[in-house]
Amino acid sequence: MVSLFELFKVGIGPSSSHTVGPMRAAAQFVERLGERQGHGETARIEVVLYGSLAWTGRGHGTAEAVLLGLCGQHPESIDPDAVHGLVAAIRDKRRLALPGGATIEFDEERDLLFDFVTEAPVHPNTLSFAAFDANGGRIAEERWCSIGGGFVVPEAEVGLVSEEAAQVPFGFSSGRILLDVGRRTGLSISEIVRANEHALRDPKAVSAHLARIVDVMMACIDRGLATDGELPGGLFVRRRARALKAKLEADHLRNARHPHEIMDWVSLYAIAVNEENASGGRVVTAPTNGAAGVVPAVLRYYRDHCAGASHAGMETFLLTATAVGALFKQNASISGAEVGCQGEVGVACSMAAAGLAAALGATNEQIENAAEIGMEHHLGMTCDPIGGLVQVPCIERNAFGAVAAVQAASLAMRGDGQHIVSLDKVIVTMRETGRDMASKYKETSQGGLAVNHPEC
C-alpha cells in the first residue's frame, strides 16, 4: 500500500527525486550511523552520485540537499529561506556538523562526487555513502535509491512490498480490484482509501494531514501569485504568475472576459506553484516536485470556481487522487529518471482528474475513466529539462497537465464510466513505454529540448 502520508509529502523545491530524496537519504544515513556506533569515530564521509543524480544534480540542487541531510536537516521541516545560509556556512568552513554534535571536515571536491560513467544497476537515481575513521578505515557504507516523489530506500530494498499492505481492510493492487471492492462494499474510492488509512493510524492524524496538505498547497499558490523576479539557475527565466494574475484581473474589471478564461486561471495556479518549486520554496510532492503544480491547481479550481465546493470535497479529492497515484507507484513509476515525464506530469494529471471527478460526485467507474483519460494522452512524454533545471519546459508543462485534468474529469462525467482502455492497461502501457524510452530522454538533459533549444 502507498499511503496518503507517503504520496503527499511536504518538502522543498526544486525536485522530489533529486532534492527531497537525497536529503532524506543523507539524513537517514547519518542517523543510522549514529545509532550503530555514534559519530565519535567518524572523521570523513564520502558521497557519490550516479546516473540521473549526476547528470542533472547540479541544476536540481542535489549537492546542497546532500549537505543539508548530512547535517540532520529534513525537507519537511527545514525553512526554505534558511537553506542558502546553511549551505554557504558548510562550504565556507568546509565542515559538517553531524546530528549528534560532532563536527568533521568536508572537502566538497573530494567528498561529494558526480559519477557520470558508472551505471546505476538498480535505479537511475542512486547515491552511495561511506564513513571513514581518522586512519582511513571504512566504518560504514550504504547505497540508496531515490525512486521518485521523495521516496528513498536502500538499494537492496527497491521493489520490496511494504508489510502495511497486509494490515488494511481493503487492499488493492489494480484499478480492477479497486472497482470490485467498491461494488462489493458500496464504498466510494475515497471511502476505501480513508478506511485503509484509519487502519494504520489515528483518524485525527489522517484529517490533520489532509488539512496540512491543503494548507501548504494553497499557501504555495498564494506565494507564487504574489512573488516577482527571476528564477535561480542561470536560464534567466522570469516569474510570470504575478503578472498573469494582474492581466486576468484587469480583463475582469473591463468586462473583457473570454469563455476560456477559466482555463487561464487553472494554468496560472499551476505556474505559481512550479515557480515556487523552481526557486526552492515549500511545496507538496504531488506525486513529485516536478509535477507539483497539477494537483494544487485543479484543487484550487474546485475550491474557488466550482459551485458547492467544500472542505469535505477537498478531502475526497485528495483521498481519491491517492488511490490513483498509488496504482501508478505500485505498478509502474512516478520517477522522471525512470520513465520520463509521463511518470510525473502524466501521473499528476491522472490523479487530479480522478480527484476532481470524485469531488464533483462522479461514480467510481467515472473516476477510473477520468484517471485513464488523464494518463492516456501523456503517454511517451519525455523528461528533458533545459540545463537540468525544473523550469523549461516543466513549469508550463504543469499548466497543460492541470488543464488536461479538468477536461478529462469533464469528459468522464459526461459518460457512464464504460470505456475501451482501462486504467490498468494504460498503466502497463506507461511502464512499457518508459522502459523502451532512450535514457537520454529520461531526466539526463542529454536529449529533447534540453539539447535542441535555441542558443542565445
Side-chain angles (χ1 to χ4, degrees):
M1 174 184 166
V2 180
S3 169
L4 165 78
F5 286 72
E6 297 173 303
L7 204 60
F8 291 109
K9 298 185 292 294
V10 176
I12 60 170
S15 171
S16 51
S17 58
H18 290 59
T19 311
V20 175
M23 191 188 302
R24 289 181 186 279
Q28 290 191 43
F29 171 71
V30 293
E31 287 166 7
R32 287 151 63 113
L33 182 65
E35 290 170 359
R36 282 194 293 264
Q37 75 275 317
H39 293 122
E41 299 177 37
T42 305
R44 185 170 79 88
I45 292 177
E46 179 185 88
V47 185
V48 183
L49 307 176
Y50 301 95
S52 180
L53 292 183
W55 286 108
T56 63
R58 298 193 189 281
H60 286 68
T62 305
E64 292 79 0
V66 168
L67 295 179
L68 294 168
L70 292 176
C71 293
Q73 296 288 344
H74 293 267
E76 61 271 18
S77 57
I78 192 171
D79 179 1
D81 294 331
V83 166
H84 178 75
L86 291 170
V87 171
I90 295 170
R91 287 173 168 165
D92 289 344
K93 297 176 182 178
R94 295 192 175 189
R95 299 193 69 79
L96 282 175
L98 301 179
T103 301
I104 63 171
E105 180 183 352
F106 193 87
D107 182 341
E108 196 167 343
E109 291 187 6
R110 177 195 65 186
D111 299 329
L112 182 50
L113 308 176
F114 289 71
D115 188 335
F116 302 101
V117 178
T118 306
E119 184 176 350
V122 176
H123 193 280
N125 293 332
T126 298
L127 63 168
S128 67
F129 301 91
F132 303 88
D133 61 24
N135 297 317
R138 193 177 297 263
I139 300 171
E141 183 173 15
E142 294 180 358
R143 289 172 64 92
W144 287 75
C145 295
S146 179
I147 59 176
F151 290 82
V152 291
V153 292
E155 188 177 58
E157 297 178 16
V158 173
L160 298 183
V161 178
S162 169
E163 293 182 1
E164 286 188 340
Q167 302 173 13
V168 298
F170 304 117
F172 58 90
S173 58
S174 69
R176 179 187 59 80
I177 294 174
L178 180 60
L179 291 177
D180 286 345
V181 171
R183 295 186 189 105
R184 187 179 73 250
T185 63
L187 298 175
S188 68
I189 291 175
S190 67
E191 289 170 336
I192 292 169
V193 174
R194 189 187 292 274
N196 287 343
E197 295 290 344
H198 286 180
L200 298 175
R201 50 185 58 86
D202 190 315
K204 291 181 179 179
V206 175
S207 295
H209 186 69
L210 284 166
R212 186 181 185 217
I213 292 307
V214 170
D215 288 346
V216 174
M217 285 181 172
M218 297 303 110
C220 185
I221 291 175
D222 291 336
R223 285 196 311 274
L225 294 177
T227 308
D228 208 347
E230 190 176 280
L231 297 175
L235 287 183
F236 310 109
V237 174
R238 291 199 62 80
R239 287 176 177 254
R240 289 181 291 169
R242 182 175 177 178
L244 289 172
K245 178 174 180 283
K247 290 179 180 179
L248 283 169
E249 290 176 338
D251 286 346
H252 178 71
L253 293 174
R254 291 197 303 268
N255 201 26
R257 304 175 69 181
H258 299 287
H260 62 259
E261 179 192 285
I262 190 62
M263 292 298 99
D264 292 338
W265 282 101
V266 174
S267 297
L268 171 62
Y269 300 145
I271 288 170
V273 171
N274 284 86
E275 287 179 347
E276 278 295 296
N277 178 64
S279 66
R282 174 79 66 209
V283 299
V284 176
T285 61
T288 67
N289 282 35
V294 178
V295 169
V298 180
L299 188 63
R300 182 70 160 246
Y301 164 76
Y302 167 74
R303 191 195 78 173
D304 291 358
H305 302 279
C306 293
S310 64
H311 178 74
M314 297 178 81
E315 288 194 345
T316 295
F317 185 119
L318 291 175
L319 290 166
T320 305
T322 296
V324 173
L327 291 175
F328 280 100
K329 179 73 176 62
Q330 290 172 310
N331 298 304
S333 175
I334 58 172
S335 168
E338 195 169 17
V339 295
C341 197
Q342 58 174 358
E344 298 203 26
V345 169
V347 172
C349 177
S350 184
M351 292 168 60
L356 179 60
L360 295 177
T363 66
N364 286 353
E365 286 75 17
Q366 289 172 322
I367 292 166
E368 186 263 356
N369 189 192
E372 180 273 326
I373 295 171
M375 171 52 75
E376 183 177 354
H377 305 290
H378 283 88
L379 290 173
M381 180 176 279
T382 60
C383 185
D384 49 356
I386 295 176
L389 299 167
V390 191
Q391 297 179 16
V392 181
C394 315
I395 294 172
E396 285 184 354
R397 193 168 279 177
N398 274 257
F400 277 76
V403 170
V406 174
Q407 183 64 14
S410 179
L411 283 173
M413 293 186 70
R414 297 291 183 187
D416 60 4
Q418 302 302 309
H419 53 109
I420 294 175
V421 179
S422 69
L423 177 59
D424 291 331
K425 289 180 180 177
V426 87
I427 291 174
V428 170
T429 302
M430 189 271 267
R431 183 185 68 214
E432 293 177 349
T433 302
R435 181 191 62 199
D436 295 340
M437 189 182 292
S439 61
K440 69 179 182 178
Y441 296 115
K442 294 190 284 190
E443 209 166 0
T444 61
S445 286
Q446 294 180 289
L449 289 175
V451 298
N452 291 317
H453 68 285
E455 296 289 345
C456 299

